[in-house]
Amino acid sequence: MNLFHGLPTHVLLVHVVVVLIPLTALALVTAALWPRAARQLGPLLPLLALAALGSVPLTTHAGEWLERHVDDDALVRRHTELGDGLLPWAVALFVAAAVVWWVGRLASAERAEGSRPRWSALPVRIVIGVLSLAVAVGAVVDVYRIGDSGAKAAWHDAYSKTETGDHDEDGS
């Protein structure tokens, strides 16, 4: 499905990616650095990451269809190239979210048993926190770069930098 009521689905799906990837990144870092948040989020964290991951190939596929239906342009090609690089970041977010969730479960089991901390130990939490932060920042920066290039591709030469004079005094 590449059109929805005459509108290219890429321009709709891109909003899902723009919301889910940063939201997942924020939840991941919060859960990785704050064990109580990881317990509260529970399996919602990897499920959110899975939804974010699933939205990327859908959006990319719809974007490839749209690319074939617009004029060949260097800005569009740049946006497409950048868009192709998001899937590895989305996979990394999902893997990191699954690891944070799983380690949180193991740490909770340790606490419940009263056994010696291995998964809740500070070095493990630091490593997971640093890796989660790196993945989250990389994914969000990539989404920003892709979105910026897409906006430039869609809007260059498509509007006037000065008012056209076709509006009433109240700006409508």
Side-chain angles (χ1 to χ4, degrees):
M1 187 168 98
N2 296 308
L3 291 173
F4 182 77
H5 292 285
L7 189 65
T9 55
H10 179 73
V11 300
L12 301 171
L13 291 171
V14 73
H15 293 90
V16 175
V17 172
V18 167
V19 169
L20 287 183
I21 295 289
L23 184 62
T24 301
L26 178 63
L28 172 63
V29 170
T30 302
L33 299 178
W34 190 17
R36 185 165 187 229
R39 287 191 300 275
Q40 293 292 323
L41 285 170
L44 182 62
L45 178 63
L47 290 174
L48 179 63
L50 183 61
L53 172 59
S55 70
V56 172
L58 290 174
T59 304
T60 303
H61 174 75
E64 289 168 355
W65 177 89
L66 182 58
E67 180 186 23
R68 292 188 303 272
H69 291 83
V70 298
D71 293 335
D72 187 36
D73 181 86
L75 293 174
V76 172
R77 284 192 305 274
R78 174 74 175 143
H79 175 63
T80 302
E81 290 168 8
L82 288 172
D84 288 339
L86 184 58
L87 187 59
W89 286 112
V91 169
L93 271 177
F94 174 72
V95 169
V99 167
V100 166
W101 173 70
W102 186 252
V103 168
R105 286 178 45 105
L106 294 173
S108 291
E110 285 175 350
R111 280 189 297 284
E113 293 174 358
S115 62
R116 193 180 115 238
R118 291 182 320 190
W119 295 105
S120 59
L122 188 59
V124 172
R125 288 183 39 217
I126 289 171
V127 168
I128 289 173
V130 168
L131 291 175
S132 295
L133 185 61
V135 167
V137 167
V140 170
V141 167
D142 205 36
V143 166
Y144 172 81
R145 292 176 62 225
I146 295 164
D148 182 60
S149 71
K152 287 177 180 170
W155 290 101
H156 79 284
D157 296 332
Y159 69 96
S160 174
K161 293 181 181 171
T162 60
E163 288 188 32
T164 61
D166 293 341
H167 302 286
D168 296 336
E169 284 185 31
D170 66 357
S172 58

